[in-house]
Amino acid sequence: MIKNRTVFIQKTVYYVLLFLFVLSTVAGWFGIDASTVNVKMNVLDREQEITGWGTSAAWWAQMVDDGEAADEYAKLLYSKEGLGLNIYRYNVGGGEAENPDCRIWDVSRRAESFLIPEVYEETGKLEYDFTKDANAQNMLYTSLEYGCIDTVVLFANSPHYLMTVSGQASGGLEPAQSNLKKECYEDFADYMLDIAEYFISKGVPVKYISPINEPQWDWGGEWVGQEACHYEIDEVIKLARVFARKINERGIDVKLSMAESGQVGDHAMDCIDLLYDDEEIASVMGTYAYHSYWTDDNFALKYAFGNYLKAKYPCVEVEMSEWCELPNQHKADDIEAALIMARTICEDISLTEANSWTSWVAVNGGGLGADSMLYVDGDWNDFSIGKRYYAMAHYSKFIPVGSKRIDTDISVADLEMKKEWWTQWIDDKEYPVYSVVKNDFYVSGYMTPDGDYVAVIVNEAEEGRKVRFDKFWNKAEIYTTDAERNLELTAEKGIGFKSIEIGPKSITTVVFSR
């Protein structure tokens, strides 16, 4: 997809992290294998602004049909007493719950659509029944009542099934088959914008529309596990142009959030280049969204991706809009599940310099095997709280909207590297590529709008650590999650403290002032 050598070299440069370069870089925030860690809080070195924390309401909100249960969910996720999340991702379903040819075997992954299919099929007119998707709408409005939500994203995994080539919102009949009919680009854009205008008229703070989700994956064929749609990258841009034109024509106060690439890398960089190179599309772009799947341990790739965005698009708001552990290898009550999530948040905020971070998914079935923050075992009105919930809490409850990330330098003692089998070429020279294969200690720092400082510390090691800060602090509150504790206030420090003890396999948030 990269068509000229200049751009190719520019992109390649950001992928190449030579051995010495990596070692000099990781000293800024990677961890150590030693009993004491020296942490420097660079309070004057302020980076990106944090615009929020969120989660997705797919595919669980439509399954909750009890009002009391819906309120309990909303309180845990979207109240100040709970996580205090401010970003709500509402799934604009593709209608598979009503599709007579639906092949999605998991009922919870089917969704109702507001579109009246009989009218559209017979006349081609877009008419709606906004009494549908009632449970999901109730969850949205119940969550809004708690007053924390300032951003609603309307996202679609697929166009409506009647707008697809296959007649199914679960992908093409063949893998990697582009599934939006060529003649339905205009209808799909009008469909999403009509729904946005409906919610806005009801007072819902819809800021962004996200019509495309993970376009590069194959989606379809024999695997029809969810609503989804493949797009070639030129189709992503073509559809974005249609949305941009219609947003400008309507004068609707909503922006695009795109392109929700499934992971960092070439596809995500190609998309942002093409989207922002087009003036009309750029005029309606609100955030550039990516997903953090499949790269949990690829520090070099995330660092390269972040540097590419920072160098070329320093004024673009970057949103990490989906992540869960893939493949999920840990039970919902396992501290390892929380550690991986907390570490991933740290990576995405510190390395890719995302302004916001949104989990996928808030709630899931499967009992203890669920990949979500809250989990159910059969009855969607009866749920339990998983360890991942507290991983998110270590960030969302202490780092409010408007906070600034600050750089934290960490001493490096035992960082293991490996030489990759692949190499990179720059200006006709071949270079080896090294990556980090062992690291178990992470710190990210923040300054809140109130002037407090926050450090979130993730220790994946079997041993505890003593953390020594570079400054004396007046006071601090220390909150801990480990195998036995869940966001427990474990210590309060007074004037003049400079170090704290961090337990093994733990997440620690320190809120301190000078």
Side-chain angles (χ1 to χ4, degrees):
M1 302 304 299
I2 304 171
K3 297 184 178 178
N4 65 69
R5 184 170 177 77
T6 301
V7 174
F8 173 77
I9 292 173
Q10 188 176 31
K11 289 189 174 184
T12 304
V13 165
Y14 288 103
Y15 269 122
V16 179
L17 296 179
L18 302 181
F19 184 68
L20 293 177
F21 176 69
V22 171
L23 287 181
S24 66
T25 299
V26 296
W29 78 283
F30 285 114
I32 73 169
D33 186 10
S35 60
T36 299
V37 183
N38 298 308
V39 177
K40 181 180 179 182
M41 300 283 288
N42 300 313
V43 297
L44 298 179
D45 193 358
R46 296 163 193 172
E47 302 294 337
Q48 79 270 29
E49 181 173 324
I50 303 301
T51 57
W53 312 94
T55 192
S56 167
W59 294 289
W60 59 276
Q62 76 273 19
M63 305 300 293
V64 181
D65 55 14
D66 179 80
E68 290 186 7
D71 186 68
E72 290 176 10
Y73 279 122
K75 187 175 182 179
L76 278 170
L77 296 169
Y78 291 103
S79 75
K80 290 183 179 179
E81 185 179 341
L83 293 179
L85 303 178
N86 69 298
I87 300 172
Y88 192 109
R89 285 174 61 85
Y90 185 98
N91 179 31
V92 178
E96 281 299 302
E98 308 157 288
N99 187 355
D101 296 321
C102 175
R103 295 197 294 156
I104 299 174
W105 57 85
D106 185 341
V107 175
S108 70
R109 298 191 179 195
R110 304 172 185 175
E112 285 187 343
S113 169
F114 300 119
L115 186 69
I116 301 174
E118 298 82 5
V119 173
Y120 184 70
E121 194 166 23
E122 292 176 11
T123 69
K125 294 182 179 180
L126 298 170
E127 294 187 8
Y128 305 95
D129 178 358
F130 286 108
T131 66
K132 295 199 293 184
D133 208 21
N135 292 340
Q137 287 197 72
N138 178 62
M139 184 62 67
L140 170 62
Y141 290 117
T142 302
S143 300
L144 283 167
E145 289 176 1
Y146 280 99
C148 290
I149 298 170
D150 60 24
T151 301
V152 171
V153 182
L154 301 181
F155 77 99
N157 289 303
S158 169
H160 191 276
Y161 70 87
L162 289 175
M163 301 177 188
T164 66
V165 176
S166 66
Q168 299 172 355
S170 53
L173 297 178
E174 298 294 331
Q177 177 188 55
S178 298
N179 205 31
L180 174 58
K181 292 178 181 177
K182 304 300 183 185
E183 64 271 23
C184 288
Y185 278 56
E186 301 271 335
D187 283 356
F188 183 37
D190 283 328
Y191 166 78
M192 292 291 291
L193 291 172
D194 289 346
I195 293 169
E197 288 184 326
Y198 165 77
F199 278 118
I200 291 170
S201 74
K202 297 297 181 181
V204 177
V206 177
K207 284 190 178 179
Y208 307 120
I209 293 176
S210 176
I212 291 175
N213 196 275
E214 299 183 354
Q216 75 269 48
W217 302 143
D218 286 351
W219 302 127
E222 294 299 317
W223 193 89
V224 285
Q226 67 174 77
E227 293 189 348
C229 185
H230 174 82
Y231 298 85
E232 294 297 324
I233 198 165
D234 61 319
E235 294 168 321
V236 171
I237 304 307
K238 179 182 176 183
L239 184 60
R241 288 195 185 108
V242 174
F243 270 89
R245 172 169 51 80
K246 288 184 175 289
I247 288 172
N248 287 325
E249 287 174 353
R250 292 188 185 211
I252 182 174
D253 186 18
V254 70
K255 300 289 187 181
L256 285 178
S257 179
M258 295 183 74
E260 308 244 21
S261 293
Q263 65 182 60
V264 301
D266 282 339
H267 185 275
M269 291 196 289
D270 288 347
C271 281
I272 193 170
D273 286 344
L274 293 170
L275 289 168
Y276 281 92
D277 281 349
D278 187 296
E279 290 186 8
E280 187 171 27
I281 296 174
S283 72
V284 300
M285 285 290 292
T287 66
Y288 184 72
Y290 78 91
H291 298 174
S292 197
Y293 295 120
W294 308 112
T295 54
D296 297 350
D297 296 317
N298 200 330
F299 312 113
L301 179 59
K302 287 189 175 183
Y303 180 81
F305 180 69
N307 272 274
Y308 184 74
L309 298 186
K310 187 175 182 178
K312 288 200 69 179
Y313 305 100
C315 296
V316 170
E317 184 177 326
V318 178
E319 177 184 9
M320 202 307 294
S321 55
E322 273 194 31
W323 178 88
C324 67
E325 184 184 350
L326 288 179
N328 181 30
Q329 303 181 72
H330 298 96
K331 293 182 178 179
D333 62 353
D334 190 343
I335 186 59
E336 293 287 354
L339 290 170
I340 291 171
M341 182 168 175
R343 177 235 296 167
T344 302
I345 296 173
C346 181
E347 292 173 2
D348 293 333
I349 298 296
S350 299
L351 294 182
T352 73
E353 301 199 34
N355 297 92
S356 63
W357 200 94
T358 299
S359 81
W360 177 278
V361 58
V363 188
N364 213 344
L368 281 174
D371 57 0
S372 49
M373 296 188 291
L374 308 175
Y375 62 95
V376 301
D377 192 2
D379 185 353
W380 290 89
N381 296 313
D382 184 17
F383 63 89
S384 300
I385 300 175
K387 282 288 187 181
R388 295 183 188 91
Y389 177 88
Y390 300 102
M392 175 66 92
H394 274 274
Y395 294 88
S396 66
K397 288 184 71 67
F398 304 101
I399 305 162
V401 173
S403 298
K404 295 288 186 69
R405 183 177 70 84
I406 60 174
D407 272 345
T408 54
D409 292 338
I410 305 177
S411 56
V412 176
D414 184 19
L415 187 66
E416 292 184 12
M417 312 288 294
K418 75 172 181 178
K419 184 177 181 180
E420 298 289 356
W421 63 268
W422 49 276
T423 59
Q424 291 289 345
W425 291 81
I426 302 177
D427 292 335
D428 299 323
K429 292 184 179 180
E430 185 178 18
Y431 294 92
V433 175
Y434 293 83
S435 64
V436 179
V437 294
K438 180 183 178 183
N439 183 55
D440 53 25
F441 197 86
Y442 310 80
V443 179
S444 58
Y446 309 86
M447 184 187 75
T448 73
D450 293 334
D452 291 332
Y453 292 94
V454 178
V456 183
I457 303 168
V458 184
N459 181 20
E460 293 188 282
E462 300 283 352
E463 305 81 24
R465 299 281 198 271
K466 181 178 182 179
V467 177
R468 182 183 293 118
F469 295 101
D470 65 316
K471 298 175 180 64
F472 289 103
W473 300 89
N474 288 336
K475 61 180 180 178
E477 293 179 344
I478 301 169
Y479 298 84
T480 301
T481 294
D482 55 24
E484 289 75 37
R485 295 174 290 194
N486 295 319
L487 202 70
E488 183 178 319
L489 178 62
T490 51
E492 294 182 80
K493 297 287 187 177
I495 295 174
F497 88 95
K498 199 173 183 179
S499 64
I500 60 174
E501 298 292 332
I502 300 295
K505 290 193 174 296
S506 65
I507 310 168
T508 303
T509 294
V510 186
V511 183
F512 45 91
S513 60
R514 296 183 64 187

